[in-house]
């Protein structure tokens, strides 16, 4: 392979890595907010799935993308509120609540979708006004001929959908909010020692609900990206386990925003490899089958969850309902 072809394939891989990482970034940051406040959220998958459906359905019906995004975020917030009521107000098991949301979303999207569009749970393809389109950044075309940096700016950084840039901006915003504001300090304290925070006069319930609802908004954006940017319609189970991969990335990142971005890009890179190079020839000796490359993100998920990446210590009050002392 000559240098030009190698550089072209590297650009394609980097571009695809960013595109497929976005939904993981939204879901991972959603889990970060929730778990930093002490609420484990296995229901990321379900919230993204219900958001993807309602975003596509409303965008198709209205022909306007922002109505669809608003509907998707609203649906995700309803699921987040259900999880909050079950795990915060009624102090139920957080893991069971999240799993129940996943099953509920899986069933509802098929039933409502079939009743609505008569397509077996799918939505019709979206029109141009019903989905996001690529954005060309300033000077992208003019700088394309600049060696190395020009193609990187024009073909990797520029030319993405709006939600890609939103996801990248939310990462530093999350870092600033959690580690540079009073809200973030209290939210993290709620996840570490809620009794001390309560003694100081800070409402544990209010901050946990705030974290759960923020997670709902981020999952809503992730689902909207799936059906209006990465795709142009809703398909059954289109989240394809990405909520669980995001949880693995969150553990890998040890609940830190910048590490979460890098972990999601790693998972996205593996998915990009499986999409662009399904059959990899190893030095002409043997060929890696497509089934193995497609399974790479899930294999890494199992490896991370099995504990082979070092000890990751979650927030100390994570998963534990808080009972106010009298």
């Amino acid at each position: 392979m000559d240098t030009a072809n190698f550089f072209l394939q590297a650009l394609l891989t980097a571009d695809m890595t960013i595109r497929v990482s976005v939904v993981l970034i939204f879901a991972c940051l959603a889990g970060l907010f929730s778990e930093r406040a002490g609420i484990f959220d296995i229901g990321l998958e379900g919230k993204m799935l219900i958001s993807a459906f309602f975003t596509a359905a409303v965008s198709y019906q209205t022909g306007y993308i922002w109505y669809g995004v608003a509907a998707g975020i609203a649906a995700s917030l309803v699921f987040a509120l259900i999880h909050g009521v079950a795990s915060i107000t009624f102090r139920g098991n957080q893991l069971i609540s999240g799993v129940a949301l996943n099953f509920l979303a899986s069933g509802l999207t098929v039933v409502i979708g079939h009743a609505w569009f008569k397509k077996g749970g799918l939505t019709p393809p979206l029109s141009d006004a019903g989905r996001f389109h690529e954005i060309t950044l300033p000077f992208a075309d003019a700088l394309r001929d600049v060696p190395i940096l020009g193609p990187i700016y024009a073909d990797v950084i520029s030319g993405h959908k709006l939600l890609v840039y939103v996801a990248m901006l939310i990462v530093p915003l999350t870092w600033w909010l959690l580690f540079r504001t009073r809200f973030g300090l209290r939210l993290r304290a709620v996840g570490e020692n809620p009794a001390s925070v309560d003694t100081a006069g800070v409402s544990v319930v209010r901050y946990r609900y705030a974290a759960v609802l923020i997670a709902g908004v981020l999952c809503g954006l992730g689902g909207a990206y799936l059906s209006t940017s990465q795709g142009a319609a809703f398909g059954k189970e289109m989240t394809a386990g990405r909520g669980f991969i995001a949880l693995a990335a969150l553990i890998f990142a040890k609940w830190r925003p910048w590490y979460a971005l890098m972990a999601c890009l790693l998972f996205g890179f593996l998915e990009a490899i499986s999409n662009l190079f399904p059959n990899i020839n190893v030095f002409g000796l043997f060929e890696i089958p497509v089934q193995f490359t497609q399974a790479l993100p899930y294999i890494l998920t199992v490896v991370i969850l099995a504990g082979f990446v070092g000890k990751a210590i979650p927030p100390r009050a994570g998963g534990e309902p808080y009972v106010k002392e009298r």
Side-chain angles (χ1 to χ4, degrees):
M1 182 186 299
D2 58 34
T3 304
N5 285 334
F6 177 80
F7 184 60
L8 177 60
Q9 290 193 0
L11 289 178
L12 290 173
T13 304
D15 180 69
M16 178 67 75
T17 296
I18 293 173
R19 293 177 188 273
V20 299
S21 297
V22 169
V23 64
L24 297 178
I25 293 171
F26 278 124
C28 191
L29 294 179
L32 177 64
F33 273 102
S34 184
E35 296 195 11
R36 276 287 189 173
I39 303 296
F40 288 162
D41 196 350
I42 302 295
L44 300 175
E45 181 94 355
K47 289 197 283 288
M48 287 196 298
L49 189 62
I50 199 71
S51 170
F53 171 76
F54 276 102
T55 299
V58 174
S59 293
Y60 173 78
Q61 287 294 115
T62 63
Y64 190 55
I65 179 61
W66 291 110
Y67 290 159
V69 173
I73 292 175
S76 179
L77 281 172
V78 169
F79 269 49
L81 193 59
I82 293 172
H83 184 54
V85 170
S87 58
I88 301 173
T89 302
F90 293 107
R91 307 188 188 99
N93 187 291
Q94 298 172 11
L95 300 182
I96 293 176
S97 173
V99 171
L101 289 180
N102 291 337
F103 282 119
L104 183 61
S106 180
L108 279 179
T109 51
V110 174
V111 172
I112 298 176
H114 181 68
W116 198 338
F117 300 107
K118 301 295 189 285
K119 288 182 173 290
L122 310 179
T123 64
L126 300 177
S127 65
D128 286 344
R131 55 192 174 93
F132 288 107
H133 298 278
E134 287 83 3
I135 297 174
T136 301
L137 296 180
F139 311 112
D141 294 330
L143 296 174
R144 187 181 298 275
D145 295 331
V146 176
I148 300 178
L149 295 179
I152 291 175
Y153 178 72
D155 298 324
V156 177
I157 299 175
S158 179
H160 292 289
K161 312 288 178 63
L162 175 63
L163 290 180
V164 175
Y165 300 109
V166 171
M168 296 303 171
L169 288 174
I170 287 178
V171 175
L173 178 61
T174 298
W175 173 84
W176 176 79
L177 192 62
L178 285 178
F179 296 99
R180 290 294 183 271
T181 67
R182 180 180 297 178
F183 172 83
L185 175 63
R186 290 178 173 179
L187 187 140
R188 288 184 289 122
V190 163
E192 293 290 341
N193 195 336
S196 297
V197 175
D198 192 24
T199 302
V202 176
S203 173
V204 174
V205 171
R206 184 172 62 188
Y207 273 84
R208 286 190 167 181
Y209 264 109
V212 167
L213 292 178
I214 291 172
V217 172
L218 292 174
C219 284
L221 291 172
Y225 176 80
L226 273 177
S227 58
T228 63
S229 298
Q230 191 166 322
F234 174 81
K236 288 190 295 185
E237 306 295 344
M238 72 182 306
T239 47
R242 289 181 176 88
F244 300 107
I245 293 177
L247 285 174
L250 181 60
I251 296 171
F252 192 21
K254 299 183 179 179
W255 294 270
R256 293 185 175 274
W258 291 111
Y259 292 168
L261 172 63
M262 291 185 284
C264 291
L265 288 174
L266 173 61
F267 279 102
F269 173 74
L270 294 178
E271 187 174 346
I273 291 293
S274 68
N275 291 338
L276 295 173
F277 312 104
N279 295 300
I280 301 176
N281 191 291
V282 182
F283 304 114
L285 299 176
F286 61 93
E287 191 173 80
I288 299 176
V290 60
Q291 291 83 1
F292 180 80
T293 57
Q294 289 176 342
L296 279 176
Y298 305 98
I299 293 173
L300 183 59
T301 301
V302 173
V303 170
I304 289 174
L305 294 179
F308 292 112
V309 293
K311 189 175 182 181
I313 302 175
R316 285 184 294 176
E320 299 177 2
Y322 176 66
V323 181
K324 186 179 180 67
E325 296 182 2
R326 298 186 182 278

